[in-house]
Amino acid sequence: MKKIWFVSLCIFGFLACEKDDICVGGESVTPNIVIDLYDQIEPENLKQAVKIAAVANGFTDTLFFEKTSKIELPLQINTNATDWKLTLYELSPTNDTIFKNDELQFTYTTEALYVSKACGYKTIFHEFNALKSPNTTNDSWIKSMSKVTNEITTNNNAHIQLYY
């Protein structure tokens, strides 16, 4: 009788356990906008920037990207637009630093998707559009841009191509 009691207790104990909820990144993360940088003279070639500083309008934190041809910028999930000021740092032949500025505005609609109990929600972006502010000074560095997709659901591929 004691054995039956012990075995039943063990069975009920194992059946009462819940599966552990562990959130693994990847598909559970709100995607950033991925921007590939291309050479304007040879548009099929990626072009590595020495340094780019990015500041979202209304914020003071700066994101820096060094020696890369790809940048990722987060989008605000509580609005339908995010404006970014991008500053390109270049070296002149005399090793002086030249600063060039441009502003990009991203507009979109958001959709919150339930991922799981452990991960909660992530946001994806529909009706995505990108606009470059008109050049008001001579310090602009982005010559043209091309939108690759209307939906931002992952960080796997570029969403915008900038030519400079």
Short mmCIF file of all heavy atoms in Angstrom, two decimals, residues 8-21 117:
data_model
loop_
_atom_site.label_atom_id
_atom_site.label_comp_id
_atom_site.label_asym_id
_atom_site.label_seq_id
_atom_site.Cartn_x
_atom_site.Cartn_y
_atom_site.Cartn_z
N SER A 8 1.77 6.99 -6.67
CA SER A 8 0.71 7.93 -7.03
C SER A 8 1.11 9.36 -6.71
O SER A 8 0.84 10.27 -7.49
CB SER A 8 -0.60 7.67 -6.30
OG SER A 8 -0.78 6.43 -5.86
N LEU A 9 1.75 9.56 -5.58
CA LEU A 9 2.21 10.88 -5.21
C LEU A 9 3.25 11.41 -6.22
O LEU A 9 3.21 12.57 -6.63
CB LEU A 9 2.80 10.87 -3.79
CG LEU A 9 3.21 12.21 -3.21
CD1 LEU A 9 1.99 13.13 -3.10
CD2 LEU A 9 3.84 12.01 -1.85
N CYS A 10 4.17 10.53 -6.64
CA CYS A 10 5.17 10.92 -7.63
C CYS A 10 4.51 11.27 -8.97
O CYS A 10 4.88 12.26 -9.61
CB CYS A 10 6.19 9.81 -7.83
SG CYS A 10 7.31 9.63 -6.43
N ILE A 11 3.56 10.48 -9.40
CA ILE A 11 2.87 10.73 -10.67
C ILE A 11 2.12 12.06 -10.61
O ILE A 11 2.23 12.89 -11.53
CB ILE A 11 1.91 9.57 -11.02
CG1 ILE A 11 2.72 8.33 -11.37
CG2 ILE A 11 0.98 9.96 -12.17
CD1 ILE A 11 1.90 7.08 -11.55
N PHE A 12 1.39 12.30 -9.55
CA PHE A 12 0.67 13.57 -9.41
C PHE A 12 1.65 14.74 -9.33
O PHE A 12 1.39 15.82 -9.85
CB PHE A 12 -0.26 13.57 -8.20
CG PHE A 12 -1.49 12.74 -8.39
CD1 PHE A 12 -1.79 11.70 -7.54
CD2 PHE A 12 -2.36 13.01 -9.45
CE1 PHE A 12 -2.92 10.93 -7.72
CE2 PHE A 12 -3.49 12.25 -9.63
CZ PHE A 12 -3.78 11.21 -8.76
N GLY A 13 2.78 14.53 -8.68
CA GLY A 13 3.79 15.58 -8.58
C GLY A 13 4.34 15.96 -9.94
O GLY A 13 4.52 17.13 -10.25
N PHE A 14 4.63 14.97 -10.79
CA PHE A 14 5.14 15.26 -12.12
C PHE A 14 4.07 15.88 -13.03
O PHE A 14 4.36 16.73 -13.86
CB PHE A 14 5.71 14.00 -12.77
CG PHE A 14 7.03 13.60 -12.21
CD1 PHE A 14 7.19 12.35 -11.61
CD2 PHE A 14 8.12 14.45 -12.25
CE1 PHE A 14 8.40 11.97 -11.08
CE2 PHE A 14 9.35 14.07 -11.73
CZ PHE A 14 9.49 12.83 -11.13
N LEU A 15 2.84 15.44 -12.89
CA LEU A 15 1.76 15.99 -13.70
C LEU A 15 1.44 17.43 -13.32
O LEU A 15 0.94 18.20 -14.14
CB LEU A 15 0.51 15.12 -13.58
CG LEU A 15 0.61 13.72 -14.19
CD1 LEU A 15 -0.67 12.94 -13.92
CD2 LEU A 15 0.89 13.80 -15.68
N ALA A 16 1.72 17.82 -12.12
CA ALA A 16 1.42 19.17 -11.65
C ALA A 16 2.46 20.18 -12.13
O ALA A 16 2.22 21.39 -12.09
CB ALA A 16 1.35 19.20 -10.14
N CYS A 17 3.60 19.71 -12.60
CA CYS A 17 4.66 20.63 -13.05
C CYS A 17 4.24 21.31 -14.36
O CYS A 17 3.66 20.68 -15.23
CB CYS A 17 5.97 19.89 -13.27
SG CYS A 17 6.69 19.29 -11.74
N GLU A 18 4.58 22.58 -14.46
CA GLU A 18 4.34 23.32 -15.69
C GLU A 18 5.61 23.38 -16.51
O GLU A 18 6.71 23.37 -15.97
CB GLU A 18 3.92 24.76 -15.38
CG GLU A 18 2.52 24.89 -14.90
CD GLU A 18 2.12 26.35 -14.77
OE1 GLU A 18 2.57 27.17 -15.59
OE2 GLU A 18 1.36 26.66 -13.86
N LYS A 19 5.45 23.49 -17.81
CA LYS A 19 6.59 23.67 -18.70
C LYS A 19 7.20 25.04 -18.41
O LYS A 19 6.50 26.03 -18.24
CB LYS A 19 6.10 23.60 -20.14
CG LYS A 19 7.16 23.83 -21.16
CD LYS A 19 6.56 23.80 -22.56
CE LYS A 19 7.50 24.47 -23.51
NZ LYS A 19 6.91 24.69 -24.81
N ASP A 20 8.52 25.10 -18.35
CA ASP A 20 9.20 26.37 -18.14
C ASP A 20 9.04 27.25 -19.37
O ASP A 20 9.25 26.81 -20.49
CB ASP A 20 10.69 26.16 -17.87
CG ASP A 20 10.95 25.58 -16.49
OD1 ASP A 20 10.07 25.72 -15.63
OD2 ASP A 20 12.02 24.99 -16.30
N ASP A 21 8.66 28.48 -19.13
CA ASP A 21 8.59 29.45 -20.22
C ASP A 21 9.89 30.23 -20.23
O ASP A 21 10.19 30.97 -19.31
CB ASP A 21 7.41 30.40 -20.02
CG ASP A 21 6.10 29.80 -20.46
OD1 ASP A 21 6.13 28.90 -21.30
OD2 ASP A 21 5.06 30.25 -19.97
N LYS A 117 3.86 33.64 -23.31
CA LYS A 117 3.72 34.09 -21.92
C LYS A 117 5.05 34.66 -21.42
O LYS A 117 5.07 35.67 -20.73
CB LYS A 117 3.28 32.91 -21.06
CG LYS A 117 3.03 33.22 -19.63
CD LYS A 117 2.51 31.97 -18.92
CE LYS A 117 2.63 32.07 -17.44
NZ LYS A 117 2.19 30.85 -16.77
#
